[in-house]
Every structure is written in structure tokens, then in C-alpha cells.
Amino acid sequence: SVTFSSFKHPEIRRVKELLPSARTAALFESPVQPNFLQVTQDLKAEQVDLRYDEWTAERVQECRSAGLATMAWCSGPLGMSEDEDVYRAIMNTGVDVMCVNRPDLLLTMLGSDPLG
């Protein structure tokens, strides 16, 4: 399945207008705006996408209570090291999806390294 995700929220709104059945996500810059949940709901998106360090278990639960899926994305800040500690911290929040730059490392951590 495809999920349309963008920082450009008017584009997400337009996707929903053109294809109401499309799965969409509201992607947010960091620091996340305080009303991110309301913005996501106003867009009629099904998922909230926040930078990895914006997620907490409480924030994940808040989204789930609103019927929304969650995704943590990794990209920066400059010099950020994606390592086991970072990935473990993300997993501990309970997010539904992780967008990572080191899938090999994540696969190894999960015990499913098809490359090794």
C-alpha cells in the first residue's frame, strides 16, 4: 500500500480531494508545532510523521487515541549518528513505522539480517 506523506500540507489536502480513499500522512518539521494533532485531523490524514526525537510514548498514545498511525523519521540534525541506541529509543516509544537511513542495522537489531 502507498501512503502519501509531505511537509507541504496543502498537497496532502489536495490528494484527499482528488482521491478520498488515499492513505495520507502529515509530515512535520522539528520542533513540532503544538497543534500537530489538530492539523493532522483537519487534513483528514491517517498518520502523523514526526522526527525521531519528537516522539514519546505519551505522544504515540495520544495519536492512537485519535485513531492515527505514527511514523518516526530520521534525517539530521547534521552529524546525527543513527546507531542502536537511537533505534532502540525510537522503538521504545511504540511508533508504528520507522523511516531510517540504516535499514541494515535495524534488520540486524531485529535478528533478521538477510544480507549477513
Side-chain angles (χ1 to χ4, degrees):
S1 74
V2 173
T3 300
F4 295 87
S5 177
S6 179
F7 290 112
K8 298 177 180 179
H9 296 158
E11 298 297 326
I12 293 301
R13 180 173 280 113
R14 183 74 175 134
V15 167
K16 278 295 193 188
E17 289 170 0
L18 294 172
L19 186 61
S21 64
R23 181 173 169 78
T24 59
L27 186 56
F28 292 91
E29 296 278 354
S30 187
V32 68
Q33 59 197 71
N35 66 337
F36 77 95
L37 192 56
Q38 186 62 52
V39 169
T40 304
Q41 291 170 321
D42 290 348
L43 292 169
K44 297 181 177 37
E46 291 81 15
Q47 181 173 294
V48 177
D49 297 351
L50 303 181
R51 196 172 80 179
Y52 75 99
D53 56 352
E54 293 284 353
W55 284 112
T56 63
E58 295 78 19
R59 201 169 254 174
V60 169
Q61 187 54 49
E62 183 181 4
C63 289
R64 287 210 178 114
S65 293
L68 299 168
T70 55
M71 188 271 280
W73 56 272
C74 295
S75 178
L78 292 177
M80 174 195 159
S81 174
E82 286 185 48
D83 57 25
E84 287 188 21
D85 291 337
V86 169
Y87 289 173
R88 195 167 289 106
I90 296 168
M91 288 187 285
N92 286 340
T93 67
V95 295
D96 300 302
V97 178
M98 292 172 60
C99 178
V100 300
N101 297 304
R102 295 279 320 275
D104 57 324
L105 176 59
L106 186 56
L107 283 168
T108 299
M109 288 175 64
L110 297 173
S112 309
D113 186 2
L115 307 174

